[in-house]
Amino acid sequence: CLLSALIVLAVFARAAGSARASVMRAMDLAELTASADHIALGEVLSTESVWDAKHRTIYSTVEIAVSESWKGQAPESGRIRLRHFGGVVGDIEMTVYGEARFQQGERVVVFMQGNHLVGMGQGKRRLGWDRATKRWMAAPWDRTGASLPGKAEGDSERALPLEMLRAQVRALVGP
């Protein structure tokens, strides 16, 4: 009986060690703002993906030219770097469900803690130019992999004018 229990535990431990998923609780603007030590608006200058030392995990480093800091100290260099799991090295791509993706030249607002996004992909808002209204719009939050109690599957937020997002964040940050 003890041997059977040990075998079952070993099987479950092995299965648990190999299973990987990205599931997190969805965060609202107030939580993202409170959790971030730096919130910045900028343009993605570059992304670089590399293997870790053991050649098991791919990490990406994203460099962003900061045009506005809404929370935290603006970097002297005018640039920030963030790091996240996933990316492409040669013919190998590692995709992390729920993690943000960045493209060179894209304008973004990022909510960071240290050199990582708060809430994985939730910590990034992509910006796009709306020709009809002639203003920058912040795309809805990417909540891939996040659960949001009280919201039905498929419920989504709308794009938000950048000036409105800026005002909301600054009100949350305070003086």
Side-chain angles (χ1 to χ4, degrees):
C1 189
L2 180 61
L3 182 59
S4 297
L6 289 174
I7 291 171
V8 168
L9 284 175
V11 168
F12 280 115
R14 183 169 173 87
S18 64
R20 294 173 191 234
S22 302
V23 179
M24 74 213 96
R25 185 180 54 78
M27 301 171 77
D28 63 19
L29 183 61
E31 291 172 299
L32 287 163
T33 301
S35 298
D37 54 30
H38 192 215
I39 302 171
L41 165 75
E43 181 178 330
V44 177
L45 297 176
S46 65
T47 61
E48 180 185 18
S49 300
V50 295
W51 286 102
D52 69 351
K54 294 183 179 181
H55 205 76
R56 291 185 179 167
T57 304
I58 296 175
Y59 294 93
S60 290
T61 301
V62 180
E63 186 172 15
I64 299 172
V66 175
S67 55
E68 297 177 23
S69 283
W70 298 350
K71 182 179 181 183
Q73 195 76 332
E76 284 186 32
S77 67
R79 296 176 178 193
I80 55 174
R81 288 180 160 215
L82 63 92
R83 189 171 182 197
H84 63 89
F85 290 108
V88 179
V89 177
D91 295 341
I92 307 292
E93 178 176 358
M94 184 179 127
T95 301
V96 178
Y97 186 67
E99 191 62 83
R101 292 179 181 241
F102 291 86
Q103 294 180 345
Q104 185 176 357
E106 132 181 88
R107 289 192 61 177
V108 294
V109 174
V110 289
F111 293 70
M112 297 174 59
Q113 187 173 64
N115 66 346
H116 300 280
L117 290 176
V118 174
M120 296 177 72
Q122 297 177 87
K124 173 194 171 192
R125 291 276 307 244
R126 184 182 47 79
L127 302 176
W129 181 253
D130 184 347
R131 290 182 180 167
T133 62
K134 294 184 174 34
R135 62 184 176 183
W136 288 99
M137 300 294 287
W141 298 108
D142 179 359
R143 291 206 169 106
T144 303
S147 64
L148 187 60
K151 271 202 152 188
E153 184 80 23
D155 280 359
S156 62
E157 298 171 345
R158 298 178 189 263
L160 181 70
L162 176 59
E163 59 271 12
M164 188 177 290
L165 177 61
R166 180 188 294 116
Q168 289 175 355
V169 169
R170 287 188 171 158
L172 289 165
V173 169

